[in-house]
């Protein structure tokens, strides 16, 4: 079989699910299908509608393949999601939504068995943001159903199982604030053995491993070649990071934006990570630990703007900088660098919609800069995902960090990175548009005012 060129990427985000066709020669998306990803608020707990997503995936693959040949399939998904599979390959329990607060009912018991931050690089997070807490809750609350589990899979590998029939796990999802993985030893954490979960964990495979061709029924349903290979898959933020690992020289940082804004430092300054401020150790697609920090910036942006597009002018920007219209953290409590602060506006009275949008964009950039500072970020910063299109975010991030910021030209770095898993060649990415730190004092004054306000 010739080297694959057109890769269908299944991209399951927390808010939206997509199937994109990526041309590895041009490094562009040539087709895209999208659907909203809604959680089912029903018994036994809020859970993901995997059957609706499965229908969407198959319909999208069939539709795209009618237009352009699909040479291979790759998968990327949001983190903090595990799937409990029974002996028939079905669900032993529904796929729990990591925002389900009921998991916190067992906080005291779970904290008694979870490993320390020094072992896993995983901070203690609320609800089900630690996969270990999800598994603990499911085992304690539903022992009969949990007893039927024959495999525990991370979310990308669940979809790979449905496509190929092959069970696997992979380190970028295992190492995404799960409590399950020791990034220093490249092995499961002590808790996995303490809870007797290791026997249930599917074999660990590399993200780019081809688990096999698609199943015959999938080929029949979609029209894809029966020999179409399927890659093991990767956590979405690490998909954004992968192209830069292959082409950039450290030090550099990558900011992956979506529902979550995840900042990752490669070759940065040595710092002591603070688990109380949502810093953590991710594991990249090459298996190496990566200091990281995150906050729910995409969710905050949607809530603050009500999802509506806003026009702004340079006069709006000047007014916000001069009046120092500040939005202070945090509109989404419980995570991020300021998890216990309650959002407030300063000098925001009588602001126009354009001025408010500018202040929101600046807030998100300053939150990101705080994350980068916490993880020792150094060198140029590349922004991937939707925020790369926000010029105000890019300009303020450059001002706050004092380093160049590159807005990625790709519409989504996750799709490009996941597609690279199917390539046997190291591919150099185009960089996008670079923004250097602005020289005007008013920008530095705004940054200083915001930073001083959050220290109070």
């Amino acid at each position: 079989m010739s080297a694959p060129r057109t890769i269908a990427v299944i991209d399951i985000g927390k808010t939206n699910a997509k199937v994109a066709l990526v041309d590895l020669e041009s490094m562009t998306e040539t087709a895209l299908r999208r659907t909203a990803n809604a959680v089912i608020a029903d018994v036994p707990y809020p859970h993901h509608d995997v059957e609706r997503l499965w229908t969407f995936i198959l319909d999208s693959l069939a539709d795209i393949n009618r237009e352009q040949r699909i040479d291979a399939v790759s998968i990327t998904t949001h983190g903090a999601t595990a799937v409990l599979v029974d002996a028939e390959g079905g669900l032993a329990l529904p796929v729990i939504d990591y925002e389900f607060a009921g998991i916190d009912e067992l906080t005291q018991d779970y904290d008694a068995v979870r490993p320390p931050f020094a072992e896993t690089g995983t901070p203690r997070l609320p609800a089900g943001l630690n996969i270990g807490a999800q598994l603990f809750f499911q085992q304690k609350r539903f022992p009969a159903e949990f007893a039927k589990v024959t495999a525990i899979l991370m979310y990308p590998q669940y979809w790979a199982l449905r496509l190929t029939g092959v069970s696997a796990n992979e380190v970028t999802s295992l190492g995404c604030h799960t409590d399950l993985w020791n990034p220093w030893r490249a092995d499961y954490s002590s808790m996995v053995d303490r809870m007797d979960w290791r026997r249930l964990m599917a074999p660990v495979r590399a993200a780019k491993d081809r688990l096999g061709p698609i199943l015959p029924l999938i080929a029949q349903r979609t029209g894809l070649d029966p020999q179409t290979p399927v890659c093991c898959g990767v956590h979405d933020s690490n998909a954004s990071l992968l192209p830069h690992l292959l082409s950039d020289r450290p030090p550099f940082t990558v900011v992956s934006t979506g529902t979550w804004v995840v900042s990752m430092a490669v070759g940065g300054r040595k710092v002591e990570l603070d688990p109380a401020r949502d810093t953590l150790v991710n594991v990249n697609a090459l298996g190496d630990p990566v200091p990281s920090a995150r906050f729910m910036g995409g969710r905050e942006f949607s809530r603050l703007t009500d999802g509506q597009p806003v026009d702004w002018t340079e006069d709006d920007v000047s007014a916000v900088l001069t009046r120092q219209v500040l939005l202070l953290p945090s509109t989404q409590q419980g995570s991020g660098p300021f998890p216990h602060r309650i959002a407030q506006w300063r000098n925001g009275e009588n602001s126009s919609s354009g001025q408010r949008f500018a202040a929101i964009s600046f807030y998100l950039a300053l939150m990101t800069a705080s994350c980068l500072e916490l993880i020792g970020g150094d060198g140029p910063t590349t922004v991937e995902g939707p925020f790369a299109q926000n010029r105000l975010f890019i300009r303020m991030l450059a001002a706050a960090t004092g380093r160049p910021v590159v807005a990625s030209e790709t519409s989504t770095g996750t799709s490009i990175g996941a597609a690279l898993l199917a390539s046997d060649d190291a591919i150099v990415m185009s960089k996008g548009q670079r923004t250097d730190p602005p020289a005007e004092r008013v920008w530095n004054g705004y940054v200083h005012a915001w930073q001083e306000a959050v220290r109070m």
Side-chain angles (χ1 to χ4, degrees):
M1 183 178 178
S2 60
R5 172 178 171 176
T6 50
I7 315 302
V9 175
I10 299 166
D11 183 353
I12 310 297
K14 190 61 167 66
T15 306
N16 296 290
K18 298 174 287 185
V19 176
L21 190 68
V22 175
D23 186 324
L24 287 178
E25 188 170 293
S26 63
M27 299 301 289
T28 58
E29 292 180 359
T30 59
L32 179 66
R33 304 295 185 272
R34 182 192 300 264
T35 188
N37 188 11
V39 169
I40 299 175
D42 200 357
V43 294
Y45 42 67
H47 55 276
H48 294 287
D49 192 350
V50 295
E51 293 310 317
R52 190 185 74 83
L53 288 173
W54 182 236
T55 299
F56 163 74
I57 289 168
L58 295 180
D59 287 347
S60 298
L61 291 174
D63 192 26
I64 291 172
N65 191 61
R66 282 191 290 269
E67 300 173 1
Q68 304 177 66
R69 173 186 166 88
I70 293 174
D71 292 333
V73 178
S74 188
I75 307 161
T76 184
T77 78
H78 60 79
T81 302
V83 183
L84 305 179
V85 177
D86 62 21
E88 286 72 44
L91 298 182
L93 279 164
V95 182
I96 197 167
D97 174 27
Y98 65 63
E99 295 187 76
F100 173 48
I103 294 171
D104 288 332
E105 296 169 3
L106 300 180
T107 290
Q108 186 173 354
D109 292 338
Y110 180 67
D111 286 348
V113 300
R114 68 180 295 268
F117 182 78
E119 179 185 338
T120 63
T122 295
R124 183 66 172 103
L125 300 172
L129 285 169
N130 300 129
I131 285 182
Q134 297 178 28
L135 300 178
F136 188 84
F137 174 86
Q138 289 170 309
Q139 185 173 28
K140 297 299 182 182
R141 288 287 190 257
F142 307 96
E145 291 84 354
F146 197 90
K148 298 176 182 177
V149 175
T150 59
I152 298 174
L153 306 179
M154 299 300 101
Y155 208 26
Q157 288 70 54
Y158 167 68
W159 299 111
L161 171 69
R162 296 195 70 161
L163 289 168
T164 68
V166 178
S167 294
N169 271 319
E170 186 274 333
V171 295
T172 61
S173 293
L174 286 170
C176 176
H177 51 80
T178 65
D179 279 333
L180 303 177
W181 192 251
N182 184 327
W184 323 116
R185 295 177 54 192
D187 193 11
Y188 289 108
S189 71
S190 57
M191 182 184 68
V192 173
D193 292 316
R194 188 177 304 120
M195 298 301 299
D196 194 29
W197 293 338
R198 185 183 287 262
R199 62 185 175 83
L200 301 176
M201 293 292 179
V204 177
R205 302 282 295 271
K208 69 181 301 176
D209 278 3
R210 296 176 183 180
L211 298 186
I214 57 175
L215 293 166
L217 286 176
I218 304 299
Q220 183 179 0
R221 169 72 166 76
T222 62
L224 270 67
D225 187 312
Q227 296 305 309
T228 303
V230 179
C231 295
C232 184
V234 65
H235 170 237
D236 55 8
S237 296
N238 276 285
S240 296
L241 179 63
L242 179 58
H244 304 282
L245 292 174
L246 298 177
S247 63
D248 293 2
R249 178 179 297 177
F252 63 86
T253 60
V254 173
V255 177
S256 173
T257 68
T259 301
W260 291 91
V261 174
V262 181
S263 299
M264 297 163 281
V266 177
R269 296 174 287 104
K270 298 296 183 183
V271 294
E272 190 76 22
L273 297 180
D274 183 354
R277 300 189 67 185
D278 216 346
T279 64
L280 61 146
V281 177
N282 269 305
V283 180
N284 68 32
L286 306 181
D288 300 322
V290 179
S292 306
R294 82 282 156 73
F295 71 106
M296 223 169 188
R299 175 73 57 78
E300 291 187 321
F301 178 81
S302 294
R303 288 180 174 175
L304 289 164
T305 63
D306 292 326
Q308 300 300 313
V310 176
D311 292 327
W312 57 272
T313 67
E314 289 297 334
D315 287 341
D316 291 326
V317 174
S318 296
V320 169
L321 293 172
T322 302
R323 291 169 45 208
Q324 293 190 347
V325 179
L326 305 176
L327 174 56
L328 303 177
S330 294
T331 60
Q332 179 80 25
Q333 282 84 46
S335 60
F338 307 99
H340 306 301
R341 295 185 68 109
I342 299 175
Q344 59 175 304
W345 285 89
R346 289 195 180 178
N347 305 323
E349 302 83 1
N350 302 318
S351 294
S352 68
S353 61
Q355 292 166 6
R356 181 179 171 87
F357 180 81
I360 291 168
S361 300
F362 292 164
Y363 158 77
L364 295 168
L366 289 160
M367 288 284 282
T368 304
S370 298
C371 290
L372 292 173
E373 180 66 22
L374 288 170
I375 61 177
D378 201 1
T381 297
T382 299
V383 178
E384 300 278 3
F387 284 10
Q389 312 306 314
N390 185 333
R391 290 189 290 129
L392 296 179
F393 175 88
I394 298 298
R395 288 162 67 184
M396 182 54 75
L397 185 59
T401 60
R403 302 191 303 274
V405 176
V406 178
S408 175
E409 292 176 343
T410 61
S411 60
T412 170
T414 56
S415 294
I416 299 296
L420 284 175
L421 297 178
S423 172
D424 294 325
D425 301 319
I427 297 177
V428 177
M429 293 285 293
S430 61
K431 296 300 181 184
Q433 184 174 351
R434 168 174 164 151
T435 298
D436 292 317
E440 297 93 333
R441 290 183 180 180
V442 66
W443 288 81
N444 292 331
Y446 187 94
V447 171
H448 179 74
W450 193 91
Q451 291 174 338
E452 285 298 307
V454 298
R455 290 192 186 102
M456 294 175 58

